[in-house]
């Protein structure tokens, strides 16, 4: 899942409780209403609109892609020539070939080959989700699908470009693109349960691509995969303990699904270890904190702008987000040389202020209204960035393994 700074991913890592829990249950048990194909869309101000949700349509059955902004999942490109050098054993002798082969063999096992198999419960559950809840659920599926597809595109191109210089890594990237394509396809098929879908081919050709240098790709993809893991496994465990909140069967697939994210993250751990300069100097510490900040803030703002979704499956949005951030931060501390102190009370205070400002920004219309809000937003980001960080990093790069920094 590439969405984290990306969107975080993961990804990573959902419909709306618009009223009392009893109301939610009643809507799930209501008799599905089949809408005639001809009546699904109408034209408003020259644009096709889905009658059930008010979402804009590109054409019949195909949803118009959401507008791009700082918080939407992005498509990424990089300097592929530099990538070829980074993964060349001749140029980069630190690459641990035996570890990479072991990782490749694990990907070749394809543990989830037969996992993503749908059944009739998907369409039945979708028919029971109506009104505003239906719109929010479709938006969740769209964002998730776009994020997974973003990873597929990047990994596929890396797999193609590295075939000659680094065949082992090339095959790993190709197999990771297989996983991401499988996830994106499963999510897009889920959208069809709601009589909509994304035109992924159109997105490939028409969406704007963001350029990141290779080392930034490594930081960002590592974080997006690991935060995707913690999002998926946390939602899965919650719904296993609270089956009445299981609105749609896709969540039942999250346990095995998240292991794909975890394996992807482990590969990028090996890649980062092969380039010590990416994780053991002053500049690396600054970039590590920057990407942690970007990913955590993006997830927090995105999820709080759709809090109804998380509440609908019985989650407290803030508690869920802080749990995912804490767990991701602990995992990230095993490889990044510095991480944000997410347990510092000031961290959450600034996140909550950012939510308030972001909500106001969405409503502001004139530059005069937006200017002080943008300044306030920037000042809170800076305040988090200037908080005292936690020294961390891979145990492979320290002499004193009893250092408390590495027990975080």
């Amino acid at each position: 899942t590439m969405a984290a700074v990306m969107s975080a991913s993961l990804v990573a890592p959902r419909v709306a409780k618009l009223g009392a829990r009893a109301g939610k249950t009643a809507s799930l048990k209501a008799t599905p209403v089949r809408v005639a194909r001809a009546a699904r869309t109408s034209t408003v101000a020259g644009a096709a609109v889905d009658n059930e949700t008010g979402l804009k349509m590109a054409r019949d059955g195909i949803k118009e892609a959401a507008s791009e902004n700082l918080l939407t999942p992005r498509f990424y490109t990089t300097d592929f020539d530099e990538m070829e050098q980074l993964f060349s054993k001749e140029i980069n002798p630190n690459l641990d070939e035996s570890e990479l082969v072991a990782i490749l063999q694990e990907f070749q096992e394809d543990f989830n080959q037969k996992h993503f198999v749908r059944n009739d419960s998907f369409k039945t559950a979708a028919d029971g989700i109506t009104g505003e809840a239906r719109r929010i659920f479709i938006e969740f599926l769209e964002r998730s699908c776009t994020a997974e597809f973003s990873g597929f595109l990047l990994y596929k191109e890396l797999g193609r470009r590295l075939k000659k210089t680094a065949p082992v890594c090339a095959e790993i990237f190709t197999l990771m693109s297989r996983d991401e394509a499988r996830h994106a396809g499963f999510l897009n098929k889920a959208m069809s349960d709601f009589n909509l879908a994304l035109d992924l081919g159109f997105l490939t050709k028409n969406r704007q691509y963001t350029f990141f240098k290779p080392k930034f790709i490594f930081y960002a993809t590592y974080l997006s995969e690991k935060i995707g893991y913690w999002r998926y496994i946390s939602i899965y465990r919650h719904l296993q303990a609270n089956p009445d909140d299981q609105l749609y069967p896709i969540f039942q697939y999250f346990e095995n699904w998240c292991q794909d994210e975890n394996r992807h993250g482990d590969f990028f751990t090996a890649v980062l270890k092969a380039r010590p300069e990416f994780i053991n100097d002053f500049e690396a510490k600054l970039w590590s904190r920057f990407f942690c900040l970007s990913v955590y803030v993006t997830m927090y703002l995105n999820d709080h702008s759709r809090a109804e979704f998380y509440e609908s499956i019985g989650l407290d949005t803030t508690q869920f987000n802080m749990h995912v951030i804490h767990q991701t931060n602990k995992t990230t501390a095993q490889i990044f040389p510095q991480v944000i102190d997410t347990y510092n009370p000031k961290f959450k205070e600034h996140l909550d202020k950012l939510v308030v400002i972001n909500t106001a920004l969405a409503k502001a219309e004139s530059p005069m209204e937006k200017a002080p809000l943008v300044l306030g937003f920037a000042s809170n980001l800076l305040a988090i960035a200037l908080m005292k960080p936690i020294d961390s990093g891979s145990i492979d790069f320290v002499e004193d393994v009893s250092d408390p920094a590495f027990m975080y």
Side-chain angles (χ1 to χ4, degrees):
T1 48
M2 279 294 296
V5 176
M6 216 118 217
S7 306
S9 166
L10 99 10
V11 328
R14 290 155 108 97
V15 211
K17 184 188 291 179
L18 304 172
R21 183 173 295 275
K24 178 195 72 176
T25 305
S27 69
L28 283 174
K29 294 182 178 179
T31 302
V33 178
R34 298 285 182 178
V35 181
R37 187 173 184 82
R40 283 181 187 156
T41 62
S42 59
T43 302
V44 178
V49 174
D50 177 63
N51 287 334
E52 293 182 79
T53 60
L55 296 170
K56 292 182 179 180
M57 306 290 291
R59 59 182 186 275
D60 188 28
I62 302 297
K63 183 187 176 298
E64 182 178 297
S67 300
E68 295 182 63
N69 58 50
L70 288 175
L71 298 180
T72 53
R74 294 171 175 267
F75 286 4
Y76 290 85
T77 187
T78 189
D79 185 335
F80 293 104
D81 292 333
E82 184 180 344
M83 279 287 191
E84 290 178 7
Q85 295 179 355
L86 289 174
F87 285 102
S88 168
K89 184 67 176 178
E90 295 179 2
I91 299 174
N92 185 7
N94 290 320
L95 282 170
D96 188 337
E97 193 73 20
S98 60
E99 182 178 12
L100 293 174
V101 169
I103 291 172
L104 173 58
Q105 290 172 344
E106 187 172 3
F107 278 113
Q108 289 171 332
E109 289 288 335
D110 196 7
F111 297 107
N112 285 335
Q113 182 181 15
K114 298 180 180 180
H115 178 62
F116 295 93
V117 179
R118 289 163 48 87
N119 53 52
D120 293 340
S121 66
F122 279 77
K123 181 60 178 172
T124 302
D127 286 342
I129 301 173
T130 60
E132 181 69 3
R134 189 176 182 86
R135 182 187 66 79
I136 292 175
F137 204 94
I138 291 170
E139 288 182 348
F140 153 68
L141 292 173
E142 177 186 7
R143 293 177 66 85
S144 301
C145 180
T146 304
E148 298 282 1
F149 191 65
S150 168
F152 158 72
L153 291 174
L154 179 65
Y155 295 160
K156 180 183 178 182
E157 184 62 16
L158 283 167
R160 187 182 71 84
R161 292 291 296 266
L162 297 174
K163 278 185 178 180
K164 292 183 179 180
T165 56
V168 173
C169 289
E171 188 172 354
I172 291 174
F173 275 116
T174 298
L175 294 177
M176 290 200 302
S177 74
R178 170 205 66 195
D179 295 342
E180 301 287 0
R182 188 178 285 159
H183 302 164
F186 196 68
L187 288 157
N188 207 21
K189 184 63 177 176
M191 286 186 69
S192 72
D193 294 329
F194 296 84
N195 307 317
L196 296 169
L198 289 177
D199 185 341
L200 297 177
F202 178 83
L203 286 180
T204 303
K205 297 176 181 177
N206 293 277
R207 200 172 184 89
Q208 182 177 349
Y209 285 70
T210 299
F211 178 86
F212 267 7
K213 293 178 64 176
K215 72 174 182 180
F216 299 151
I217 289 287
F218 297 154
Y219 294 139
T221 48
Y222 171 84
L223 273 168
S224 68
E225 299 288 5
K226 289 299 183 180
I227 205 167
Y229 166 80
W230 281 111
R231 287 173 65 83
Y232 286 143
I233 196 61
S234 299
I235 291 174
Y236 175 82
R237 289 170 179 169
H238 162 73
L239 292 175
Q240 287 297 297
N242 302 276
D244 289 343
D245 291 322
Q246 189 90 241
L247 290 181
Y248 185 70
I250 200 168
F251 303 115
Q252 297 171 4
Y253 293 74
F254 276 13
E255 183 180 33
N256 286 33
W257 189 329
C258 75
Q259 295 306 325
D260 283 343
E261 316 294 337
N262 206 31
R263 280 187 283 271
H264 296 181
D266 289 345
F267 168 62
F268 284 108
T269 298
V271 171
L272 286 167
K273 284 183 178 180
R275 302 295 299 193
E277 70 273 21
F278 290 172
I279 52 175
N280 68 359
D281 62 14
F282 179 73
E283 183 181 344
K285 291 181 178 181
L286 292 178
W287 284 119
S288 294
R289 285 156 49 198
F290 169 79
F291 278 95
C292 284
L293 173 62
S294 300
V295 170
Y296 301 161
V297 168
T298 299
M299 183 187 75
Y300 203 82
L301 294 181
N302 270 326
D303 287 357
H304 279 78
S305 67
R306 297 162 181 81
E308 299 94 335
F309 173 81
Y310 298 95
E311 292 168 4
S312 75
I313 56 174
L315 286 168
D316 178 288
T317 306
T318 299
Q319 290 180 1
F320 167 68
N321 269 227
M322 292 309 299
H323 169 74
V324 169
I325 287 172
H326 289 323
Q327 296 304 320
T328 303
N329 210 49
K330 290 177 181 178
T331 302
T332 303
Q334 297 172 17
I335 184 66
F336 280 21
Q338 274 189 348
V339 291
I340 295 171
D341 183 1
T342 62
Y343 286 99
N344 184 332
K346 292 292 183 182
F347 175 67
K348 183 178 176 300
E349 287 181 23
H350 289 300
L351 287 180
D352 290 334
K353 289 178 181 178
L354 287 169
V355 170
V356 173
I357 296 171
N358 190 55
T359 302
L361 270 171
K363 298 176 181 178
E365 297 180 357
S366 70
M368 291 293 288
E369 289 180 284
K370 293 180 180 180
L373 294 172
V374 171
L375 183 61
F377 196 97
S379 65
N380 278 281
L381 285 179
L382 183 61
I384 297 175
L386 294 178
M387 283 170 37
K388 183 179 179 181
I390 293 177
D391 288 324
S392 56
S394 173
I395 200 169
D396 295 343
F397 295 106
V398 294
E399 296 179 2
D400 182 8
V401 296
S402 64
D403 187 331
F406 297 91
M407 306 301 288
Y408 175 62

